[in-house]
Structure formats: C-alpha cells, structure tokens
Amino acid sequence: MGGIREAVAADAAAIGEVAGAALVLDAAEAPRLVARLSDPPPDRRWTALVTGDLDAVLFASMSTRDGSVGHIDLLAVDPAAQGRGRGRALVAAAEEWLRAQGAAEARFAGNPPCYAWPGIDVRSTAAACLAESRGYERYNVAWNMTADLSADLSTEADVLRLADRGVTVRAAGPGDRAAVLDFVREQWNENWAWEAEQASGCHYASRDGEILGFAAWGARPAWFGPMGTAPAARGLGVGRVLLRRCLAEQRDAGQASAQISWVGPLGFYSRAVGAHAERVFWLYRRDLR
C-alpha cells in the first residue's frame, strides 16, 4: 500500500481511473465526480488522500455551515486492491485530518453544495460495513428519484399558457445568469446559488422583470437540481415547465435518464415527469472527540 499522502495535481488521471473502476454504480460519471470535488467553492477546506501506489483515494472536507462537522465525500478502492485494508486506512487518516481542522464529528454524508452523493448508497454493502465497523451510526435517510428521459417532456402548451399570464420562460445565458443567482440567494441560500452558477444548464421564469423560479442541472454531474419557485409563482405551473426544460436538455446531452437528487416532494416529480423513487442513501456519523 505504501504511505498515505495528500494527492497532488499529477495524480489526477490515476485518481480518475481508480474512481472509474471502483464506483460501479456511477462508473460513467466517476472522473467528472473527481473533477467536481477537486474544484469546490473557494471557502471550502478539503483534501484528497491517496495510497502510495495510487490504488485508493478518499476526498474529505469541512462543512462551511457548521465548523464542527467534517465529511467523507468519496472513497474509492481499485477492485484489484480491495480487501487489503486500504479503505479503512484512508478513513482513519481522513478522521485525523478532520480532527486537525477542528471537526468534532465526521459524516459519511454529502457536503452541499459540492457533493458526490447524499450518503452511502444502500447497495454499497462494503462501504456501509466499513462505516459501521469504524463506529459510525446511521442518523438519516435520503433518496433520489429517476426520470426516464424518453418520456414526454414537451412544454409548448404550458409555455403558451404562461405567456397568456405574462410569464416568460427562457434559458439563463451569460447575460442573465447573474440575476438568476441573485434571485436564488435571496429566496434560498448561497449553496443553491453556487450550484446554479456551476450548472451545465439553467432555466428561469419571469414576469414584468421579476424572476419567479429557476431550475438547474449538472452542478453534480448528470444529476438534476436544484430548483425552486418564489411564493408569487406557486400554482402557475412554472416548476413543471422548468423541470421539463432541464430534463430535455439532459436528454439532448445524451442521457437516457436523470437523477433528481435529495428529493423532498415526491408527488410533484411523479406527476410532472413520471419520476420514481429509486436510489436510497444512508447518512452516517460518528463522534471524533
């Protein structure tokens, strides 16, 4: 295994290969996940730890919302090296790094706004067993919904209906993305604004120069979200149109399905695009004191 060390820029390609081989549930996105975690918001304290022979990697970060909480964001061990204690050693090293940063608690849970998953996929038995063997306890559950992008995602009739009520729906280009980000910050929070800024695609609705809602996709590679509508837009059907326009872009980008992440309102997504609950994640934590 060699000694554990912090990754350097020259390790990027090898880390992407390890992630692609190990993350079988997200293999196609693995290199992009590594790239995303390697370029978080500027105020994030984070590290990537690797084994000396580059057959395992772990990303860890500190929460910017709660300075006493640290996160294990991604752990990947090359299949040829699994069962040799590499994952356990990396988690132990990450916990020491988090303690040095002031963390009193470590979590196997997503660190918004730059995350790989909400937690440990319930199908990842080895990862869950490793967490529990290190004293982590489950404290929450999160789930994604899957949208089939071959379904009807048309919006023409809805766009015309909204236009009759003075509402315009459009893609957020370079000239108006800043206004959308200001709207997101005002209505929600800086985390969502960062995701909207990083997103591959973003659409918004407005009336008389006032933004009413937005939806984005691709801040977390290949996934949909975040999205939201202002109170003034509730009941107009704005969210359904914005959702469908984003999903149509994902389909045009070559995706057959899309993950709607960290879902709250199951009913809305089910009605709007026939999405169904599928991926479930356990969130784990342990005291580091």
Side-chain angles (χ1 to χ4, degrees):
M1 176 171 64
I4 291 173
R5 60 175 176 81
E6 288 198 292
V8 296
D11 299 327
I15 289 172
E17 291 177 5
V18 168
L23 304 177
V24 294
L25 299 176
D26 298 271
E29 302 161 30
R32 286 183 292 164
L33 283 180
V34 166
R36 176 73 284 162
L37 292 175
S38 299
D39 188 23
D43 59 345
R44 174 170 292 189
R45 286 178 286 155
W46 67 281
T47 189
L49 303 175
V50 295
T51 51
D53 38 14
L54 287 174
D55 56 8
V57 60
L58 182 150
F59 282 80
S61 62
M62 291 293 295
S63 169
T64 53
R65 183 170 53 186
D66 183 344
S68 69
V69 173
H71 292 259
I72 295 175
D73 300 300
L74 181 150
L75 173 62
V77 180
D78 189 286
Q82 290 175 7
R84 303 178 188 174
R86 281 150 170 77
R88 177 176 295 276
L90 282 169
V91 170
E95 290 167 354
E96 288 305 309
W97 183 87
L98 292 171
R99 283 193 187 94
Q101 300 297 313
E105 178 179 287
R107 297 180 180 177
F108 273 92
N111 186 6
C114 184
Y115 63 93
W117 308 278
I120 295 176
D121 191 300
V122 299
R123 296 168 293 177
S124 299
T125 303
C129 288
L130 171 58
E132 293 181 7
S133 72
R134 292 284 306 171
Y136 288 79
E137 297 182 346
R138 269 180 266 164
Y139 71 96
N140 208 342
V141 178
W143 50 84
N144 285 6
M145 296 184 80
T146 301
D148 179 357
L149 301 186
S150 68
D152 178 18
L153 298 174
S154 61
T155 59
E156 290 82 0
D158 285 331
V159 168
L160 289 173
R161 176 182 55 78
L162 289 172
D164 288 340
R165 304 186 69 171
V167 177
T168 301
V169 181
R170 59 169 61 92
D176 45 14
R177 186 73 72 104
V180 174
L181 299 184
D182 288 341
F183 165 76
V184 176
R185 289 188 185 96
E186 179 182 345
Q187 293 289 329
W188 291 280
N189 53 59
E190 187 63 40
N191 279 351
W192 275 22
W194 184 87
E195 289 187 83
E197 182 179 24
Q198 301 297 316
S200 302
C202 181
H203 293 253
Y204 72 100
S206 62
R207 180 171 56 193
D208 298 328
E210 177 187 4
I211 297 178
L212 300 175
F214 85 105
W217 67 275
R220 191 286 188 191
W223 286 15
F224 171 83
M227 73 166 289
T229 55
R234 306 274 162 78
L236 292 176
V238 165
R240 179 177 185 271
V241 174
L242 294 171
L243 167 64
R244 287 183 162 218
R245 289 185 66 141
C246 283
L247 295 182
E249 276 193 346
Q250 291 181 261
R251 178 187 60 202
D252 294 344
Q255 293 183 222
S257 65
Q259 291 289 300
I260 303 172
S261 62
W262 234 313
V263 170
L266 291 168
F268 166 74
Y269 292 108
S270 176
R271 292 189 302 270
V273 294
H276 59 278
E278 185 173 35
R279 294 191 72 171
V280 179
F281 303 90
W282 287 325
L283 281 64
Y284 284 90
R285 64 186 176 193
R286 68 159 290 192
D287 196 316
L288 292 180
R289 291 168 292 189

